Amino acid sequence: MFSCFFKMKFKRFSEILLPNPFLILCLLYNPVFGSATRYQKNSSNVGDILLNIFGGPFAVVSSQDEASSACQEHSKLYLQALANMTPWAINMYDASTKIPSGLVTGNVQQLGNYDQCLRIEVQNGDVLAFRGQQCRATIHFEVTGEDSGNRTRTDTRRSLDMKDLFYAALEAAGVYDWKDTKSAPYVWAFCVPSSCSTTDVQRALQKSLSPLTVPGRVEAMVSVTSSDCHVADPTGTQLSAADLGILVLLAVVLVFLIASTSYDLIVSRKYAGKKSKGVAHSVLVSFSLTTNGRNLLSCSTSSDTMPSLNGLRFISIFWILLGHTYYMKSVSSNINNIVVKHFDQSLSMMLIMNGTLTTDTFFLLSGILLAYVFMRDRQKKQPFNLATFYIHRYLRLTPPYAFVIFFYATLLSRLGSGPLWDTWAGANRDYCVANWWTNLLYINNYINLDQMCLNQTWYLAVDMQLFWLSPLLLYPLARWPRFGKGLLAFVIFLSIIIPFAITFAERLTAVMLYNKDLLPVAAVYSFIYTKTYARAGPYLIGIALGYLLHVLRNKHISIPMVWVALGWLVSLCSCTAVVLSAAVFYDDNHKYNAFESSIYAGLHRSAWTLGVAWIAFACTKGYGGPVNAFLSWRLFVPLSRLTYSAYLCHYVVLLYNAGSIRAPGYLSEYTVVHEFAGNLMFTLVLAAVISLAFEVPFMNLDRIVIKRQPRGNAVQPSGFHSNTIHQDNREGAPSVYVISEKTSLPVVQLKSYENKAFDGGR
């Protein structure tokens, strides 16, 4: 090979660095022709077998492969063209994966050159013979037998096999405690003729790997599915009826936005300082981008809200997005995925590994605001209508939610491409097509859990179900306070006992150990994490705190500074201990104890919630100091208004990133934070669009409906959109959007946005 370089004459060193046809041929000559020759040989040597398959051109050429005649004919044509240095064949070979560096460190997902492969077109005269098709094969090895797989230096009774190589690679990676029987899945991308089916590719590769199988020691297994193979479609995919439906919906909403904004700018300004024009006028400006956008971006607050909750809300969604970015980056293609195994060795990584506690913060906020407003309205003797209570909750929550579901089921899968696009965007599309109805009924945390549409929306279902049940506690608290407080204390106790009992009975891990065996993770997710009866504790604590704040409203309470300091110390220690103590269960040397795990599972979420509850209480009653100053920062006001829409849409950004990658990345704290910064920016922009188009307008319309109802039918606010603490005295019902009567323009008052509790969960 070096003789090639000696024959090349460069006038300048820079010519070596620039693309040079002769240099490219030199780089390809040895592997192509050496591999093409080796491809025809039978060898029992592990190295030769792997080099034949993954170093040379892959083609379905044997009649015993039972491949289609067209596939075999075109595969033979490919090998002949490659031997003749035909450009399209060189492109096909070059677009396929070769043996890379870093296999030991976790570089196990090889994506080839997706775009290069799909650009290939092979003509037979004036007729298109075939196109380039990229197929990703997932290969793993089933290791059997009790020995470690390593052969001693003096053991010459057998040849080294794939099991020896596998264990040697584990040792080279620093992994000495591997207990599974299956290797990690190795993903290899091949560029093959489009005439070859997934079955053709799978059978040919399985046959090529068959010499690596040693009965009783190791077996090679191959999987190639329809979603693993991609070929260019120059005509484009025809739009379905559902695709056309969402395009029509978007067009209609756009017309409404333009018309409402135009009306607001042209007509409404004429009535500045005059009385509102009535219901018709309010409806016409409900979609106004100028009014809604101005109030969405305003940093103003009113005196009758709890501004510290804005900071808690945004910090929580910030934490959620960071955790999900870490997750998606960790399960994506990286050259050093082995580092995921060592995440638990850093205490700081517990902020990510145990970051699911943020959901409990949102449950807490939801319960606080719901209980406070419910008690206030009952004290004012306002009638309670259960049907209206439920209906308006549903109508306020569902429009943006339904749009995102519809978007997932239709347009999302058409926005990009890539070797992993169907794995991420395509799979989520299929889940939403099949299970959208479970989301809209808010029962998706119980039905088809493994194929959930918008997998983060288990939380919305839990929150809605807790809202449905909340009158069973709120009404007794308002009507029979002593009995209600006893009942609340009892169900809080049950909320601790239930996860304890389930964890003990099922022998579950204390938390989801993400970088360990996935089966225990799935068990905790299914039995505990997504179930209403196991996640109610923080919501109930929120109801208790909301009731307390109602009792203490307009009252100054004097707490000795010693007790205030103790409260902050206990809060800090409680939250820190809950987050960091999960490291004990991640320790490989820690022996599993069912009782210990059950204690943690039963108590840790309530302990975290009590710590955050103190922060909310202290900031509300004037004992927050610098913490309250930070959480009440004016910039958090507009950011907190976007949390619900950001929660709904942030996975759109994450799925696009994961599905559109073309090459393995590098996993480090810096690369994750760098990617997170972009994810946060794109998410907030997308959230603003969804909020202005689907969230705010429909909440304005819902507000108008409430105004038209009899006084006693006003809905009580819940934890999602209507969690404000101010009072609309004109009709006895709190709301998120209050239409002002002080001007002719039905302005959505700034205070109406405040403390709109996004309880979005992860």
Side-chain angles (χ1 to χ4, degrees), residues 608-637:
W608 166 268
T609 303
L610 288 172
V612 179
W614 165 259
I615 297 174
F617 176 81
C619 291
T620 301
K621 304 309 291 183
Y623 294 97
V627 175
N628 182 56
F630 173 71
L631 294 177
S632 302
W633 186 27
R634 288 163 56 88
L635 184 59
F636 285 143
V637 177

Side-chain angles (χ1 to χ4, degrees), residues 372 547-557 617 621:
Y372 184 95
Y547 177 81
L548 177 63
L549 291 174
H550 165 72
V551 172
L552 298 176
R553 72 194 184 287
N554 300 324
K555 295 180 181 179
H556 174 71
I557 58 172
F617 176 81
K621 304 309 291 183

Side-chain angles (χ1 to χ4, degrees), residues 83-106:
N84 293 328
M85 299 187 183
T86 307
W88 68 261
I90 291 177
N91 269 317
M92 184 169 283
Y93 172 75
D94 191 42
S96 297
T97 299
K98 316 299 182 299
I99 297 180
S101 60
L103 286 173
V104 168
T105 61

Side-chain angles (χ1 to χ4, degrees), residues 317-574:
I317 196 68
F318 182 96
W319 192 356
I320 288 160
L321 183 55
L322 177 60
H324 285 173
T325 300
Y326 252 105
Y327 168 74
M328 293 298 290
K329 184 69 175 174
S330 298
V331 299
S332 294
S333 178
N334 297 292
I335 64 173
N336 63 328
N337 266 339
I338 192 69
V339 301
V340 174
K341 178 178 174 57
H342 306 298
F343 274 174
D344 52 45
Q345 297 179 5
S346 169
L347 274 180
S348 62
M349 279 302 297
M350 290 301 107
L351 290 169
I352 303 300
M353 309 292 276
N354 205 16
T356 60
L357 293 165
T358 52
T359 59
D360 301 299
T361 300
F362 282 114
F363 280 130
L364 171 71
L365 298 180
S366 181
I368 291 173
L369 296 168
L370 173 62
Y372 184 95
V373 177
F374 188 96
M375 294 302 148
R376 182 199 63 193
D377 291 347
R378 299 292 73 74
Q379 186 182 47
K380 293 180 178 295
K381 307 300 182 183
Q382 296 177 12
F384 175 63
N385 187 305
L386 186 63
T388 305
F389 183 76
Y390 289 153
I391 291 171
H392 282 285
R393 160 75 170 183
Y394 185 87
L395 293 179
R396 289 188 173 190
L397 211 63
T398 305
Y401 187 21
F403 167 72
V404 176
I405 293 172
F406 198 7
F407 177 78
Y408 262 63
T410 53
L411 297 184
L412 174 62
S413 61
R414 300 182 181 277
L415 293 181
S417 65
L420 300 176
W421 185 256
D422 285 345
T423 301
W424 293 108
N428 280 272
R429 172 202 60 213
D430 295 341
Y431 295 159
C432 286
V433 169
N435 299 307
W436 59 270
W437 59 276
T438 64
N439 292 69
L440 295 183
L441 292 177
Y442 294 92
I443 55 175
N444 50 304
N445 63 322
Y446 286 102
I447 299 178
N448 298 331
L449 192 62
D450 60 333
Q451 297 183 354
M452 187 187 302
C453 173
L454 281 75
N455 63 348
Q456 75 272 28
T457 58
W458 65 267
Y459 175 82
L460 305 189
V462 172
D463 181 77
M464 179 65 83
Q465 291 157 21
L466 289 171
F467 179 84
W468 291 338
L469 297 172
S470 64
L472 298 176
L473 292 173
L474 294 172
Y475 193 80
L477 273 174
R479 186 69 181 272
W480 310 287
R482 180 174 297 181
F483 170 74
K485 286 184 282 188
L487 179 62
L488 180 59
F490 175 71
V491 294
I492 290 176
F493 176 73
L494 278 182
S495 72
I496 296 173
I497 293 299
I498 289 174
F500 171 89
I502 295 174
T503 301
F504 189 82
E506 298 292 337
R507 296 189 61 82
L508 303 176
T509 55
V511 293
M512 291 187 288
L513 305 178
Y514 291 105
N515 65 341
K516 307 296 182 182
D517 188 356
L518 293 181
L519 289 179
V521 174
V524 175
Y525 181 82
S526 177
F527 284 106
I528 300 287
Y529 188 72
T530 59
K531 296 301 180 283
T532 304
Y533 47 76
R535 300 301 303 272
Y539 195 92
L540 299 172
I541 293 173
I543 288 178
L545 180 55
Y547 177 81
L548 177 63
L549 291 174
H550 165 72
V551 172
L552 298 176
R553 72 194 184 287
N554 300 324
K555 295 180 181 179
H556 174 71
I557 58 172
S558 179
I559 306 177
M561 292 309 297
V562 173
W563 290 104
V564 172
L566 182 61
W568 280 104
L569 179 62
V570 171
S571 173
L572 177 63
C573 292
S574 174

Side-chain angles (χ1 to χ4, degrees), residues 63-85:
S63 60
Q64 296 179 355
D65 292 331
E66 300 180 0
S68 66
S69 57
C71 175
Q72 293 196 58
E73 179 183 349
H74 293 156
S75 297
K76 292 177 181 178
L77 177 62
Y78 161 50
L79 292 178
Q80 294 171 359
L82 186 60
N84 293 328
M85 299 187 183

Side-chain angles (χ1 to χ4, degrees), residues 631-666:
L631 294 177
S632 302
W633 186 27
R634 288 163 56 88
L635 184 59
F636 285 143
V637 177
L639 292 174
S640 68
R641 295 168 186 153
L642 294 173
T643 51
Y644 176 50
S645 293
Y647 168 65
L648 289 176
C649 73
H650 75 280
Y651 254 106
V652 172
V653 179
L654 298 179
L655 291 174
Y656 190 93
N657 290 345
S660 61
I661 63 171
R662 297 308 201 261
Y666 183 77

